[in-house]
Amino acid sequence: MRGILRRVGEALPWVLVVVLLALLGRTWAARLPYPYDLEWMEGGMLAHAWRLSRGEPLYLPPNPDFVPYIYPPGYSSLVAFFSLPVGVGPLPARLLTLLAVFAAAAAIVYILRLRRVAWGVAVASGATFIGTYRAAGAFYDLARPDGMYVALLGWSVALALTPGRGTAVASGLLLAASFFMKHNAAIFGFPLALALLLRNGRDGVAFVAASALPALALVGLFQWRSSGVFLTYLVDVPQSHPSAWWRFYPGTPLELGNALPVACASIGVLAVWHQARLGTWSRPLSAIVPVAVGVVAGWWATRAGFPIPEIRHFAGGPGVFVVGVLAVVAAMRLAETRRRALAYDQVLLGAIVVTALLLAGRMRAHNGGYVNVHTHMFWVFSLLFGWMLGHTPKWLAGVLVASQLTWAAATTHGRQLRPTAADRNAGDRMVEALRDKEGPVLAPFAAWLPTYAGHPPSLHYMGVWDLDYKGGPMVDELDVLRRAVREHHWPTALDADQPFPYGLREHYREQGKPLVSDGPALRPKTGWGARPQQLMVPR
């Protein structure tokens, strides 16, 4: 019987990895070559790469042709470089992101194999991260920086766990590179530096120098070349945005549990079991207190009537459970450090888990923070899942990780994410309608679409929206857009089913019938659902 259980447990992870990747592969094959936006900010991201490919600056005051996103230039620079053979477009940008996501999963496998976790469990833990595709907003194959950000961050963590001065330097350089994909990565420098300094002072200093010096040098360069507005966009603008704190708690733990219910429940139970086994001063409390805290927190968050949209509370409960359990267990382990020193890798992993949770919650609470901000949190908990399974019998580890992959496969719903012939036909109609129009074209909800008709990419509304908050550092400079609308700067505009609130409908009129009906055609498959609909010309 034990032999059968062992063989089943070892085979199940491989079977479920193949099933999950086959399901996702079908979705990716339909999405990668699709020429129009799968998510409404994709076109604006391509416009950033297009400008860099032509040697044009990104960070400049708002103007009618371009307003940058509040992202560093790393991802758009990579897209511009890797698009050189074929030109900037959705396909190379999406491929770059998808390859980066697989690289992030490979970092999980690498770390777990360092700890001698079985190959099947290690690979399935990497696939567990890939399986959070839908829970992260289906951003793992988009022209967005999230995949590259977590890949570089993941390998920075992996090399920090690998002994050696050279790996510490490489870890620092990768963290600096991750910072230029999404500057939130900087916060991970603190737990990484602390852990490396505890392991070996010289390694820690090498890491700090390798991560901080290139980042500071490039930030200084960009700040100088942009006449001081680079940090205005990256730091001052986000600080003017409001926050929705219910998305921090219980929202973020619930969304974690909804993505990784089996993983979270397993981590919580295994953490309690290990603490009860290792505890020296309070064995009963080591088991009872974490369970009680986790259960009460999970019940309260899922039953107290919080207005969490699109979250299945039953699945989300394990996320709140594991957060409560980990908090109590960590406190107990720290209280026992005088009797039992914590290992370096435990310190680093614990600090990374805490940082990932707090950062994901804060970014989610930020006004406009979508579930893609959880990408690094999903990576960390997929790693923690495999890490904990390394201490369990192989057959049980195989069953648990296969169960998590089954959940991922069952909740992917790839059909909803794949573009249809109606989507493509609607986009083609818009392109044909723009071919004989004068440029430039204002398409604030589909910035890349005008390029298919021979026009430059459009200003994107997201860049403008981020600036338009009371007390923001550039809110007064948006008058340049209102003036451009009044003076008919754009001979042609594409109005959307949601307004561009700078006088467009006052100073432009509809030309002909809507190019897209009120149905689902051309609507983005994830994120905000705005899409262009009506051709407009000056009054």
Side-chain angles (χ1 to χ4, degrees):
M1 185 64 179
R2 288 184 178 178
I4 294 174
L5 285 175
R6 188 183 71 252
R7 286 192 290 270
V8 170
E10 290 174 352
L12 271 178
W14 294 105
V15 172
L16 268 298
V17 167
V18 172
V19 170
L20 177 65
L21 292 182
L23 291 173
L24 291 175
R26 182 184 178 192
T27 297
W28 294 332
R31 285 162 60 95
L32 289 174
Y34 179 65
Y36 306 115
D37 288 349
L38 293 166
E39 188 270 341
W40 83 298
M41 286 177 63
E42 274 197 303
M45 203 77 251
L46 294 174
H48 284 62
W50 181 87
R51 290 180 65 87
L52 290 175
S53 70
R54 296 165 60 90
E56 298 180 15
L58 295 184
Y59 304 98
L60 64 172
N63 67 79
D65 297 319
F66 183 73
V67 177
Y69 291 161
I70 52 175
Y71 291 153
Y75 176 73
S76 49
S77 300
L78 287 178
V79 171
F81 177 77
F82 283 102
S83 300
L84 286 175
V86 295
V88 175
L91 179 58
R94 290 170 183 160
L95 275 174
L96 183 64
T97 300
L98 188 58
L99 290 173
V101 167
F102 273 87
I108 293 176
V109 178
Y110 172 83
I111 293 170
L112 296 179
R113 287 300 297 158
L114 277 179
R115 295 182 56 80
R116 293 182 171 83
V117 175
W119 269 108
V121 173
V123 171
S125 298
T128 295
F129 166 65
I130 296 175
T132 60
Y133 170 71
R134 180 61 184 263
F139 271 56
Y140 295 172
D141 59 345
L142 294 183
R144 296 289 301 272
D146 304 83
M148 188 60 66
Y149 152 69
V150 79
L152 294 167
L153 176 62
W155 277 102
S156 177
V157 173
L159 294 181
L161 285 164
T162 306
R165 187 76 40 78
T167 55
V169 171
S171 175
L173 292 173
L174 287 172
L175 183 65
S178 181
F179 169 83
F180 286 104
M181 304 300 132
K182 295 185 78 170
H183 53 294
N184 311 91
I187 196 171
F188 285 96
F190 294 101
L192 286 167
L194 174 63
L196 280 162
L197 286 167
L198 288 174
R199 183 181 75 183
N200 183 295
R202 291 184 178 181
D203 289 357
V205 171
F207 168 84
V208 171
S211 59
L213 294 180
L216 291 173
L218 286 175
V219 166
L221 176 64
F222 297 150
Q223 186 75 347
W224 171 59
R225 293 296 301 271
S226 66
S227 300
V229 299
F230 174 69
L231 289 179
T232 301
Y233 279 109
L234 266 65
V235 179
D236 297 339
V237 168
Q239 288 179 352
S240 68
H241 296 174
S243 296
W245 288 107
W246 63 265
R247 296 200 312 223
F248 182 96
Y249 185 87
T252 293
L254 282 173
E255 288 166 332
L256 169 64
N258 192 56
L260 299 167
V262 178
C264 288
S266 301
I267 292 167
V269 171
L270 291 171
V272 171
W273 182 77
H274 285 302
Q275 177 59 27
R277 183 170 60 88
L278 298 173
T280 57
W281 59 276
S282 56
R283 290 180 188 274
L285 288 177
S286 296
I288 295 170
V289 174
V291 171
V293 169
V295 168
V296 170
W299 173 85
W300 181 76
T302 57
R303 301 297 179 188
F306 281 90
I308 314 292
E310 299 180 5
I311 293 179
R312 285 155 289 186
H313 286 173
F314 178 77
V320 189
F321 168 77
V322 74
V323 170
V325 165
L326 291 178
V328 176
V329 168
M332 288 183 169
R333 295 301 302 276
L334 289 173
E336 294 172 350
T337 53
R338 291 184 179 180
R339 295 187 176 92
R340 179 182 290 108
L342 295 175
Y344 162 77
D345 56 358
Q346 293 176 337
V347 173
L348 177 56
L349 184 62
I352 291 293
V353 169
V354 172
T355 303
L357 271 170
L358 294 177
L359 179 60
R362 182 63 189 95
M363 292 171 68
R364 186 73 170 102
H366 175 262
N367 188 59
Y370 191 52
V371 290
N372 63 297
V373 302
H374 291 334
T375 301
H376 68 263
M377 180 177 67
F378 293 153
W379 184 89
V380 168
F381 273 83
S382 298
L383 170 63
L384 182 58
F385 183 36
W387 191 293
M388 300 296 284
L389 292 181
H391 297 283
T392 62
K394 290 182 179 180
W395 69 268
L396 179 58
V399 169
L400 290 174
V401 75
S403 299
Q404 176 57 55
L405 292 177
T406 300
W407 171 266
T411 55
T412 296
H413 304 305
R415 185 176 181 181
Q416 301 172 9
L417 300 172
R418 293 193 288 268
T420 64
D423 294 318
R424 187 179 289 265
N425 291 338
D428 292 345
R429 284 197 301 274
M430 289 196 171
V431 172
E432 287 303 315
L434 293 175
R435 285 196 188 279
D436 60 348
K437 300 296 182 182
E438 294 184 24
V441 175
L442 175 64
F445 297 90
W448 191 248
L449 191 146
T451 65
Y452 296 117
H455 303 295
S458 169
L459 168 90
H460 196 281
Y461 181 34
M462 188 68 245
V464 180
W465 194 351
D466 277 328
L467 304 184
D468 200 0
Y469 286 90
K470 185 178 180 181
M474 291 188 172
V475 64
D476 294 335
E477 298 189 41
L478 295 180
D479 285 340
V480 68
L481 300 183
R482 298 182 179 90
R483 185 167 62 251
V485 172
R486 289 196 305 269
E487 296 175 356
H488 302 155
H489 173 80
W490 303 276
T492 309
L494 279 176
D495 195 18
D497 50 4
Q498 300 189 37
F500 180 67
Y502 297 92
L504 182 65
R505 296 179 183 179
E506 298 174 21
H507 299 282
Y508 285 69
R509 61 177 176 83
E510 297 177 358
Q511 186 179 62
K513 296 181 179 179
L515 297 169
V516 182
S517 67
D518 290 330
L522 202 61
R523 196 171 297 282
K525 300 303 177 185
T526 187
W528 199 34
R531 51 87 189 271
Q533 192 169 22
Q534 175 68 57
L535 198 66
M536 306 280 285
V537 294
R539 290 186 182 277

